[in-house]
Structures are given as structure tokens and as C-alpha cells.
Amino acid sequence: MNPSTAQAEVIVDELVRNGVRQVVLAPGSRNAPLSFALHDAAEAGRIDLHVRIDERSAGFLALGIAARTRRPVVVACTSGTAATNLHPAVSEACHAGIPLIVLTADRPPELRAAGANQTIDQYRLYGTAVRLFDELAVAENRPGQNAYWRTQVCRAASMAAGTTWGGPVHLNLPFREPLVPSGDRDWCEPLDGRADGQRWTEVSEHESAPSTLSKVRSRRGLVLVADGAAESASAWGERYGWPVLSETGGVGLSGAAAISTGMWLLKLPGFMRDHLPEQVLCVGRNTVFRQVQSLLADSGVEVLLAHGGSHWPTPAHNVREVAETFGASPGPADPDWLTGWQQADQKASAALHAALDLERWPNGPVVARDVVDALPAGSLLVLGSSNPTRDVALAANHRPDVVVHRNRGVAGIDGTVSAAIGSALAHGGPSYALLGDLTFLHDSNGLILGPQEQRPDLTIVVLNDDGGGIFSLLEQGSPEHSGSFERVFGTPHGTDIGSLCAAHGVEHTVVRQRSEFGAALRRRSGLRVVEVRADRAELRGVHERLHAAVRGALHG
């Protein structure tokens, strides 16, 4: 057996022993040994293998699967720019704490020195974005290699999973030719793993029991939920009388303490003067709304953070305490505190939805509300960054029975189609995505599915306003910047999304009337795109009217 084949087979076997069941492969020449070994493992039923031709899409497909399963997922590619195309997914996984095992093939040192084809410097390619980097030595047919390879795989798998806060790890694998199996199985030592399918190295959790918050003292607190732990946060709020606000509004948030219009209330200076919390508990990375950042920067507000691991964010550099869990008691609840938020939520919600009913269809907030209303119970909803995640938070009705996924680690639009497909494959139930047109087009390669690849039951709703609608709501969208806005911020593209879907063999529907929208969203099998075309020029006015309606209900 040639050394590259032996190394690849041992690596794949040990990954399986460490609990890896999902692998995404972007094939190439230099990673041929891994491709053969992964194919054999898939044929034997040991892993589910997904093959993609675009490395960026492959990385986000793996990320979507890992985000839903919370188990390490492998993504493997060849050398050169293939490896650099995984960097956006690695960055997202780093900041979102998603367990990825990145296997990049490489040339051996003598070919790097010669400037061989498809060769770049892959040593620590992803910098500080990975929990662990290791470059394995070039495989040789000599005793001790089996134990070395398996040890490093165990080390990587352990770091990816983490005891409290996992993330991406990177193994760079220089393969020397020959790169394809030679047919013989001779080797200088047994290449077997431990008996009974055991890991080569069992890694115990050396850390103490998860830390809990100790600085909670206030009866007038607030919980801000970004992603994950919504159920625990809701239970905390109900028990201690702290209102619970989410960056997804009332979607995915349950309990009597849930405040579905929280992002609107935080934007009202008059309301916040009377309802400023003494302490705020942040769960996850709250990064979408400026009013959240303003609250966390208030010198009169003490910020607590529920987060595991060392890569915790520091909102406004004003964090008082970081702990992995939030099982602490602030003392007896103040019933008037939570009641005040609940009453404001009821008034704001009534005014908001009355105003939404008056708006002309379609626009972002109204479409977001319609999508959420149409979801079957237990659905997964993947939200694109920029406007969709804001529209759902600001306009959707309360839906505690919906699971939300967002790429909010670094909040890019990279790979969102692929992440949605990965999340849907792992979810196993009705799955939907709400994306803007630029986010959809940015990863249209995610629609490329070979005939042997698993196809998700996923409906992707694309709100197509022919450009970057988010900028219409920011400072550059104000009238005084109209001369430069359209070309450098609006970025109209004129793409025929239907033709693009047809090229990939993906079902496509354009919904032109609101009366058709519900039928288009009914649960069906397979991958499909539902397009809604909107006018971007109206967006700023819509948000201004909704804000005025909520403000009037609280201070009218």
C-alpha cells in the first residue's frame, strides 16, 4: 500500500471512531487519497458523504449540518485556492462556535519549494480562526505512523467538539504521489484502530463543572437572546421576572416573559427612559440592531454574558461577568417590572400589525410576517443576513414552535444557500429559508446538486428587490446621497432568477399576488425557490410608517 493511501484510510477510520458521521467533499487531484477513502467509508455505510464542486458552498453546507446537529462535520478539499475558499465558513464557525474539521490536502515540501501547480502557503492558513492547527508529516512506510495519525485525529476531533464551546480545527495533509490506491495492502505494521471501534485516545473533560453567573443582583433585568438557548432564557425570564427579547422577535421564543416587539421597544427613547434595566443578560452574539448596541453601551447598565470558551464577545467592552450557564438567582421578582414590558408589548404589537395590514404587498416586513405565519409547526427557518433577519424580528407574529438558524457568527451573506441546505438535511422536518436576492445570488452555486446527492425538503423564499435593500435603511440611503446611491450601494443586477434556477434543475415559482403566496408555501418535498418581487424604493417609507405606528401607540 502506498503511504498516501494508508494515511488517508487511517484518518477516515479514526474520524468515524470519533463520532464523525457527516462529511462534505470538494474533489481535486491532490486530495484524491481522501476522496477514495471517504467514498469507501460511505459505501460501507459508515458516513454520509456529500460532494460539492464549489469549496465555498461545501464549507457552508458542512457548517449548516454542524449547526443543527452540534456534532463535528468534516469538510475536505484539495490544495491551493480551494483551501482559501473555505475561509469564510471557517470564520463563521469560529465566531458561532460551530464544530468543523477542515482537511486540506497539500503538496509535500519539496514541491512547494519548486513552485508546483496549485501550491500556496497553507501553514496556519486560517490564522486565529481555528481552535487547533496541525500539519501532519508526509506519510512514510515505517513503524509508528498509525499511532501518530490516529492521535492527531483524536486531538482535532476533541478540540472541534469542545467541552463547552467548540469550533473549527484545521489539519493540513501533504500527500506525496502516488495518490491513488495501488491495489496491494502490505504495510510494515498493522493499521488497525482500537478494539471494538474505540477512539485511539479518549479525551476526558478536564474542565470543572460549567461556571454559573454570580453577579446577578437586580430585580429589574433584561435578557437578550441572539441564537441558541432560547428555551433556557425563556425559563429564566419567567422565573425571575426578566423580560426576554430576541433578535428574531417572537419567532423561536416561548413563555410569558417573551417580548415579541422588543426590538421596537428598545428603539423608543421615551419608553427606555422609564424601563432602563439595571442588568442585561446576553445569550449569544447580539449584533443585528443598533438599539441593542446602544443599550449595552449605556454606562448605567451592567452586562452579563452567557458564553462558553475563550472566544466570547465583549459588547461595548462593558461585560461585567462571563459564565457558561445562567443558573443564578437575582432574588424575588419585581412583578411590576415584567408587567410593564408585557403591556407595552401588547400595545406595540397591536399597532404594528394594524399598520402592516395597511401596507401594500409585497415589501420585506409584510412578506416576513406572511412567511412565518405559513410555516408548519416544527419548521426550520433559515434567515439571510441583512434585511430578512431584521424583517422577521420587527414584523413576524409570535411563533415559539419554529426553529431559527442564522449565520450570525460574522453575519456575512457568504454561503447562505448552502448553509440552508445543510441545516435542512440535518433538520429532518419542514424547512424554509427567507433570503434577499443578493444573498441568494452570492451562493447560487449552492443549487448545484449532483444526481447522487441528497436533496433537501427546502423552500427558499427570495425577496427580490433587485439590489441591496439594506442600504436603503442606512445613512447612505437618505435623500442627500441619491446621486451615488444606486450604483455603489443599491447595486441592481437584473438577474433572471427563474432562468438561473432552470439551469440548475430547481423548481421556481414567481408569486405576484398575496392571495397566491400561501399556496406557494405549502409543504412539499424537494428543493424549490419561491420568488417575490418588490420595489426597493418603497422600503425606507415602510419602516418609517411602522416606527411611527409603534411610537404612537406607546406615546400617543
Side-chain angles (χ1 to χ4, degrees):
M1 185 188 311
N2 68 64
S4 293
T5 295
Q7 185 183 48
E9 290 185 358
V10 167
I11 287 172
V12 171
D13 178 65
E14 192 61 40
L15 284 167
V16 174
R17 290 165 179 265
N18 276 267
V20 170
R21 295 294 178 268
Q22 302 285 337
V23 179
V24 182
L25 170 67
S29 175
R30 190 55 51 168
N31 68 336
L34 272 177
S35 300
F36 282 111
L38 291 170
H39 179 268
D40 290 347
E43 289 293 296
R46 303 185 73 196
I47 61 170
D48 289 332
L49 181 63
H50 311 269
V51 180
R52 294 295 187 272
I53 63 174
D54 181 323
E55 284 81 12
R56 190 179 68 175
S57 293
F60 279 97
L61 176 70
L63 184 137
I65 297 172
R68 291 295 302 128
T69 63
R70 305 310 302 181
R71 298 178 61 177
V73 174
V74 167
V75 57
C77 73
T78 193
S79 63
T81 56
T84 64
N85 282 324
L86 293 179
H87 206 150
V90 170
S91 296
E92 174 66 26
C94 169
H95 292 282
I98 295 176
L100 285 187
I101 300 176
V102 180
L103 305 180
T104 56
D106 203 350
R107 264 61 177 171
E110 67 271 15
L111 291 184
R112 298 178 203 170
N117 189 40
Q118 291 187 353
T119 302
I120 63 171
D121 184 2
Q122 296 177 201
Y123 191 83
R124 298 192 181 278
L125 178 63
Y126 308 118
T128 58
V130 292
R131 306 289 190 263
L132 172 129
F133 168 80
D134 186 40
E135 178 172 278
L136 270 63
V138 178
E140 299 176 301
N141 190 345
R142 60 180 176 81
Q145 295 280 274
N146 181 51
Y148 163 57
W149 297 332
R150 291 183 185 275
T151 296
Q152 297 310 94
V153 169
C154 290
R155 192 189 309 275
S158 171
M159 292 296 291
T163 53
T164 57
W165 183 251
V169 298
H170 176 204
L171 293 181
N172 197 49
L173 308 174
F175 290 120
R176 187 173 281 145
E177 296 181 2
L179 303 174
V180 299
S182 56
D184 68 277
R185 305 295 299 174
D186 293 336
W187 194 255
C188 65
E189 65 175 344
L191 291 176
D192 301 328
R194 303 286 188 196
D196 301 321
Q198 297 292 308
R199 297 178 177 87
W200 190 261
T201 303
E202 292 291 344
V203 181
S204 300
E205 294 187 5
H206 299 297
E207 299 180 9
S208 59
S211 59
T212 58
L213 294 169
S214 62
K215 303 298 183 184
V216 178
R217 56 174 175 75
S218 177
R219 300 170 66 199
R220 296 169 64 88
L222 195 69
V223 183
L224 288 175
V225 182
D227 294 293
E231 185 175 347
S232 299
S234 297
W236 165 285
E238 285 194 70
R239 182 177 181 184
Y240 299 126
W242 286 27
V244 181
L245 284 61
S246 171
E247 284 202 330
T248 57
V251 182
L253 202 61
S254 61
I259 306 298
S260 62
T261 61
M263 295 303 112
W264 285 112
L265 297 179
L266 292 180
K267 200 174 181 180
L268 302 178
F271 175 81
M272 290 305 299
R273 277 194 300 270
D274 298 331
H275 296 82
L276 186 69
E278 296 170 346
Q279 290 187 302
V280 173
L281 169 60
C282 292
V283 182
R285 295 173 58 84
N286 290 274
T287 60
V288 174
F289 291 95
R290 292 185 178 184
Q291 55 265 44
V292 169
Q293 300 305 309
S294 177
L295 172 67
L296 300 181
D298 192 311
S299 60
V301 175
E302 196 168 74
V303 180
L304 311 173
L305 181 61
H307 195 284
S310 59
H311 289 264
W312 40 269
T314 55
H317 300 287
N318 189 32
V319 174
R320 178 69 177 84
E321 183 181 16
V322 179
E324 295 153 40
T325 63
F326 37 100
S329 173
D334 178 354
D336 294 336
W337 172 248
L338 178 57
T339 298
W341 280 85
Q342 290 170 326
Q343 291 174 344
D345 184 37
Q346 293 170 1
K347 292 179 181 178
S349 182
L352 170 68
H353 290 287
L356 284 167
D357 290 339
L358 297 176
E359 291 293 335
R360 185 171 62 181
W361 195 90
N363 61 63
V366 174
V367 169
R369 184 178 67 166
D370 288 351
V371 168
V372 171
D373 285 348
L375 298 180
S379 290
L380 167 73
L381 176 60
V382 178
L383 295 176
S385 293
S386 298
N387 274 338
T389 191
R390 291 168 171 82
D391 289 339
V392 165
L394 295 175
N397 282 301
H398 188 206
R399 285 298 304 269
D401 56 345
V402 171
V403 177
V404 178
H405 172 72
R406 309 179 301 161
N407 285 351
R408 295 304 303 180
V410 287
I413 64 172
D414 310 64
T416 311
V417 172
S418 298
I421 290 174
S423 297
L425 289 173
H427 183 65
S431 299
Y432 294 79
L434 176 59
L435 312 180
D437 49 304
L438 294 188
T439 298
F440 175 77
L441 293 173
H442 204 266
D443 188 32
S444 61
N445 275 1
L447 300 177
I448 302 174
L449 299 175
Q452 299 182 60
E453 301 308 308
Q454 297 179 52
R455 303 185 79 83
D457 293 333
L458 173 65
T459 298
I460 301 175
V461 179
V462 179
L463 183 64
N464 182 7
D465 56 13
D466 194 30
I470 183 63
F471 298 111
S472 300
L473 304 177
L474 302 179
E475 291 86 349
Q476 51 265 60
S478 58
E480 62 265 30
H481 302 303
S482 60
S484 60
F485 178 83
E486 192 63 5
R487 184 180 184 191
V488 299
F489 295 109
T491 59
H493 50 79
T495 300
D496 186 335
I497 290 177
S499 296
L500 187 151
C501 290
H504 294 308
V506 173
E507 179 185 342
H508 170 266
T509 302
V510 177
V511 175
R512 294 182 171 84
Q513 301 293 330
R514 190 176 191 179
S515 58
E516 305 169 354
F517 199 30
L521 294 178
R522 287 198 190 104
R523 183 180 179 183
R524 292 168 56 186
S525 60
L527 176 63
R528 61 190 176 125
V529 172
V530 175
E531 180 185 358
V532 179
R533 296 170 182 167
D535 184 355
R536 180 159 37 87
E538 297 183 3
L539 189 56
R540 195 176 183 93
V542 171
H543 279 259
E544 289 173 350
R545 289 189 292 274
L546 296 180
H547 186 207
V550 173
R551 186 177 62 246
L554 271 295
H555 300 289

